[in-house]
Amino acid sequence: VDRPPPQLRFTAYDLADPAIAGSALQGAFQRLSSAAAQLMAGRRIAEQGSVSTGSTPAGLQITIGVGERVIRAAGATLPGPMAPIPPFPGEDLDAAASGGDLAISVCGDDPLLTSSAARALGTLLAAWFRPRWTRSGFLPAATEPGSTPRNLMGQLDGTDNPAGARQDLAVWVAPGADVAWMADGTYLVCRRIRMKLAAWDGLTTAAKQRVIGRELVSGAPLSGGTEHSTPSFTALDAAGTPVIPADAHIRLSHPAHNAGATMMRRGYSYDDGYLPDGQPRAGLFFQAFQTDPRATFVPIQRRLASTDALSAFTVHETSALFAVLPGASQGGFVGETLFLG
Ligand code: HEM
């Protein structure tokens, strides 16, 4: 799995006017699609002004997703996987920073360019969409290509993401498997998850490792080996206790214990300073791509929320679900399949 760019600027928008629909809405996607293509090709767009002058706009990745209202406004069939994400025990959701009609994720190597590209796209869309919430995120500067990024709890996060054909199967909607307009698209669940870092930092390394089921520094499963060794969930210690505990995060979330359900996680760390009570306002902007959240994110999170040892150290504060649009055809635009009728 390629390592994602270290900077993220995610913006969720609402339709500026509920009357925007059909061909008026199509115009927004045509402009957005060509601007995103320009930016990803390393070119500037007029809306950036002079911010990017003298910079190398390398490595921009732009992902576009739509929410239920845009799907309806375009006249497209609402896919079953867009069923609302249900509530889970222990969460504390901020409605204003959840949901949204359109999502644009801009990732890049350079924080200035990532910010400027994201804002330029918002400027370009102002006649159609108003910003609803935004999220900036970061990954450690890569030391080795292909290495797994570490999160603010100090864990290697992303080790057991699916790769190759397994990833394709887990992420991309196969033609005929869902509504026609989503063929080769994917569904994105976003959750801003605050980490109770003061409590976490107070644990011993051994306790931290038991929460996840992996070694903190190497990322190796507690059953032995190296980072990418297959965990053994049946291995016992001398006392006959499972070495990967019954409530360990990787045991409860592993496909083997979830009827094969597999998602592709792309979390970014965030740090917004402190809450009024002095606790860090920091954590993980969790993103998971999958073919159907009803069969992946929802059942897995239901189980994690009630039994995962990690849940004592996290609070889910926002939630959003978007249909990530398939790529454009030759000469077409991202979102074209929404408007086919
Ligand atoms: C702040 C919250 C979270 C943190 C810090 C966290 C951290 C981790 C870590 C360190 C691993 C092991 C390394 C890896 O394979 O990536 C992992 C694995 C995993 N996590 Fe999380 N996670 C969080 C939330 C979630 C949520 C909300 C879900 C889904 C509902 C989830 C699903 C998974 C899955 C599917 C795996 C791979 C399991 C396997 O195949 O071994 N995680 N997570």
Side-chain angles (χ1 to χ4, degrees):
V1 183
D2 288 342
R3 189 168 165 132
Q7 301 291 330
L8 166 80
R9 181 70 175 174
F10 192 106
T11 312
Y13 294 86
D14 280 338
L15 275 168
D17 180 339
I20 297 171
S23 57
L25 184 59
Q26 179 170 329
F29 282 91
Q30 281 162 323
R31 288 209 57 195
L32 172 60
S33 181
S34 71
Q38 293 280 323
L39 289 166
M40 287 196 286
R43 289 190 283 272
R44 292 199 294 136
I45 59 172
E47 288 78 3
Q48 279 176 295
S50 55
V51 169
S52 57
T53 305
S55 309
T56 313
L60 284 183
Q61 287 182 11
I62 300 174
T63 307
I64 300 168
V66 290
E68 180 176 337
R69 283 217 299 167
V70 160
I71 297 170
R72 292 191 193 281
T77 310
L78 190 72
M82 285 299 288
I85 302 288
F88 299 101
E91 66 188 10
D92 182 16
L93 297 187
D94 173 358
S98 297
D101 299 335
L102 174 76
I104 305 178
S105 158
V106 180
C107 293
D109 296 326
D110 181 304
L112 188 79
L113 285 174
T114 306
S115 159
S116 122
R119 200 161 51 79
L121 292 175
T123 305
L124 178 136
L125 288 173
W128 297 276
F129 291 99
R130 304 253 156 81
R132 177 178 173 85
W133 55 267
T134 58
R135 171 82 346 243
S136 292
F138 55 87
L139 296 175
T143 41
E144 287 169 50
S147 60
T148 309
R150 223 173 266 284
N151 63 29
L152 288 174
M153 284 179 162
Q155 305 141 353
L156 295 180
D157 195 341
T159 299
D160 200 21
N161 263 328
R166 214 176 132 242
Q167 184 186 113
D168 290 346
L169 211 63
V171 172
W172 304 110
V173 173
D178 194 348
V179 294
W181 66 263
M182 271 300 283
D184 300 318
T186 179
Y187 294 93
L188 168 62
V189 175
C190 310
R191 312 274 290 182
R192 190 184 80 211
I193 308 176
R194 182 164 57 83
M195 294 171 166
K196 297 181 180 172
L197 287 171
W200 177 261
D201 290 344
L203 297 181
T204 62
T205 299
K208 290 175 180 170
Q209 297 184 154
R210 283 195 298 274
V211 166
I212 294 293
R214 289 182 176 274
E215 284 180 11
L216 198 60
V217 174
S218 70
L222 293 184
S223 50
T226 56
E227 187 194 348
H228 292 283
S229 301
T230 305
S232 165
F233 295 110
T234 51
L236 304 174
D237 64 16
T241 322
V243 290
I244 297 177
D247 60 355
H249 184 68
I250 66 162
R251 178 187 290 277
L252 296 169
S253 60
H254 196 275
H257 304 130
N258 292 284
T262 307
M263 60 179 93
M264 172 75 192
R265 292 164 292 123
R266 277 243 166 147
Y268 278 79
S269 294
Y270 72 89
D271 182 351
D272 294 345
Y274 296 90
L275 292 167
D277 67 1
Q279 295 296 314
R281 199 197 292 263
L284 185 72
F285 183 63
F286 173 91
Q287 303 183 92
F289 297 90
Q290 60 229 285
T291 55
D292 189 347
R294 294 172 303 178
T296 41
F297 176 80
V298 171
I300 296 175
Q301 176 53 23
R302 187 170 289 134
R303 160 177 248 190
L304 293 180
S306 53
T307 44
D308 181 13
L310 187 61
S311 299
F313 301 93
T314 61
V315 184
H316 287 231
E317 294 186 331
T318 72
S319 182
L321 169 64
F322 299 102
V324 175
L325 298 165
S329 65
Q330 189 75 38
F333 61 96
V334 174
E336 59 195 345
T337 57
L338 275 173
F339 298 93
L340 293 179

